[in-house]
Structure formats: structure tokens, C-alpha cells
Amino acid sequence: MFERNFPFKQMELREVDGVNYIFLPNIWIRNEELPVGATYEDYIGYMISDKAKPNYHIAPSFVTRGKINDSGLLIGEDIITGSFSYNELKTKAAEYNAEPFNIYDMHLLARLMLIEFSSSNIQKALSGVEGKMGATYHGIKNVWGGEEFGQWYYGLTTEEGTIRVLNSKMDGSMVDTKIIASGSGYPSSLLTSKTLSYDLGDLFLAKNQAVNAVEGILGDYQCLESDSAFNSGYIDNNALCGPFYLCNDRVDKKIRNIGLRLRKAC
């Protein structure tokens, strides 16, 4: 695959505790509304750096209990499928001496895809086919789910109508953003608010949604509704699925053929 710049040439396969992972080095990110007069004024610019720079911050994926990881992150090469609920993710991951893949991890990959391909139609960019599931991205297999199974994303729920996200200090706590979930549809604008506990510019979450895909700014569908957790995948929805696709289910509901991807700080 054509690789233009950091960090893609530094992603490599590693085996830890008998599990295959893809190593991703520390990445700093910047979310900036482009100024008046810019080619795409009022758009959001998503940037990355392989070192700390002014106006950049470390991507939350590379933080553990408030401290930057020594060198990077290990992302599970493939999904472990089974029948378990969102609430069981941490217990299941602990069986492998790991943590569950989370929404910051997935949307970090989505950012890297946007930068690499200059397109939000990542399915077509990776495989040349609209609605293609089971894609591999720099060694990460089934990156948004497979043909017959989905993938949980830990760290994003909506409860009592408001969005809750994993604290960006990565201490395991969830933060109530007090932001009302936007419902279902194709994102027409994205959330950008930030506090000391989160920066929603790090994620691709809908502020407003359109009924039709052509009115959206991302190719994928999102379902942000009350009392739900978020996952991706499923063959019935494969025309909608991709790195920005989010759907929901109850946090305590066991789902058949759902997937857990592992992650480890390094």
C-alpha cells in the first residue's frame, strides 16, 4: 500500500501474551476550525504529529491514568468474537491481560484514514467497493467489523439522553458531557466542545444529523439515542458501516457474534 508519511511506516506486528497486536507509536493531534479566507473556511482541520508541538495535544489513546505512554499503543490484530454485552468488555479483555478497544482508538484510526486517503469514503478507499466489510488497515484486520460480526467500542454511551465518554486522562472513569444525543441519521455537523476531561474534536460524533447520506459530511450512519451503547459491524448494514459508523444496544444485553478487539499501552 502507498504510504506517504508518519505514522504508517512505523506500524508493525508484535506478539504479546500470545496475542497478535499492531504497534502504533505515540501521536499528537490538533483539531482546528479553519479561518476565514482559507480554502475550506469554517471546516475543521484534523492534524497529526509524531512529536509534541504547540497547539497539539497527545491523542487520548496514548495516555494511561494521566501519563503519556512510554512509546505507543498495541491494537489487537483481529476481533475476538463471542456472545457478551458491552458491560462485560473489561472483564473479557482482562482474561488476555489487556483492555478493550475504545472509541478514542477507533476514531484515531478514522483520523489517520482521513489524512491518508483524503476521503471519508474509507470502505471504497481500502477495498475499491462500496459497503465492503472485513477491511484490513495497515495490518489491523476487520477494522470496523466483519461480514457476519460487529465490534464493540468501549468508552461511549448515552444514558438518560446525554452523551457519556471515557475520561481523556484514561483513568477508566466516564464523563457526562451533558450534551443531548442527536438521534439517528447521517452527521451534518460534528461536536467540538471540550473540557479538562474530554475534547470531542478527538471524536467524530454527530451534533446534527441529516436523513440522507448526500446531506451528511461523513459517509457513515450514526445512531445516538437514549440509553444505548455503541458498536459497529453487521452484514445487514454493511452499506452504512465504516470507521465513522455507530449503532446502539443496551449495555447489559448480550449480543451474538459481537466482537472485542484488545488494546495495550506500551
Side-chain angles (χ1 to χ4, degrees), residues 14-257:
R14 296 185 182 179
E15 183 180 333
V16 181
D17 296 330
V19 177
N20 285 336
Y21 292 91
I22 303 299
F23 168 74
L24 189 61
N26 286 347
I27 296 173
W28 283 258
I29 58 180
R30 180 177 178 180
N31 315 309
E32 180 183 32
E33 185 172 335
L34 301 183
V36 174
T39 302
Y40 296 100
E41 65 179 71
D42 297 326
Y43 280 60
I44 301 296
Y46 294 104
M47 309 168 203
I48 62 172
S49 172
D50 61 348
K51 58 180 67 69
K53 295 174 63 174
N55 301 317
Y56 284 69
H57 63 275
I58 189 73
S61 292
F62 303 99
V63 175
T64 303
R65 291 182 290 279
K67 295 183 178 181
I68 298 175
N69 296 353
D70 288 340
S71 60
L73 175 69
L74 296 171
I75 297 176
E77 179 187 32
D78 209 349
I79 294 171
I80 299 167
T81 57
S83 176
F84 48 93
S85 71
Y86 173 94
N87 278 343
E88 295 174 322
L89 286 177
K90 295 189 79 171
T91 300
K92 186 67 176 177
E95 295 176 9
Y96 297 88
N97 192 29
E99 298 177 331
F101 189 63
N102 66 57
I103 190 64
Y104 288 116
D105 302 333
M106 184 63 242
H107 284 186
L108 174 65
L109 293 180
R111 177 186 297 251
L112 299 183
M113 293 174 186
L114 276 177
I115 292 171
E116 181 174 2
F117 299 118
S118 300
S119 169
S120 63
N121 191 346
I122 304 303
Q123 294 157 303
K124 188 172 182 179
L126 282 178
S127 64
V129 179
E130 295 281 357
K132 175 66 176 177
M133 299 288 288
T136 297
Y137 179 65
H138 294 283
I140 301 173
K141 299 176 181 178
N142 297 307
V143 68
W144 57 78
E147 296 291 349
E148 297 182 352
F149 54 89
Q151 175 178 224
W152 284 117
Y153 300 146
Y154 186 74
L156 176 62
T157 63
T158 58
E159 300 172 33
E160 300 178 353
T162 60
I163 296 171
R164 288 162 166 76
V165 295
L166 190 61
N167 192 318
S168 59
K169 295 179 181 179
M170 301 298 277
D171 60 8
S173 65
M174 297 289 287
V175 182
D176 186 354
T177 67
K178 308 297 184 182
I179 295 171
I180 302 298
S182 59
S184 300
Y186 296 88
S188 55
S189 64
L190 300 177
L191 293 169
T192 58
S193 63
K194 58 183 177 180
T195 70
L196 293 176
S197 300
Y198 61 80
D199 181 345
L200 295 184
D202 297 344
L203 304 173
F204 296 91
L205 303 180
K207 179 179 181 180
N208 297 295
Q209 310 224 47
V211 174
N212 300 312
V214 293
E215 297 171 337
I217 57 175
L218 302 174
D220 301 329
Y221 188 85
Q222 290 193 2
C223 183
L224 303 178
E225 296 181 345
S226 183
D227 194 28
S228 58
F230 293 75
N231 60 305
S232 178
Y234 296 125
I235 192 168
D236 290 344
N237 295 329
N238 64 4
L240 306 174
C241 293
F244 310 104
Y245 173 64
L246 298 171
C247 62
N248 65 280
D249 253 306
R250 296 196 314 271
V251 295
D252 59 348
K253 177 183 177 183
K254 283 186 179 289
I255 300 179
R256 181 175 58 86
N257 294 335

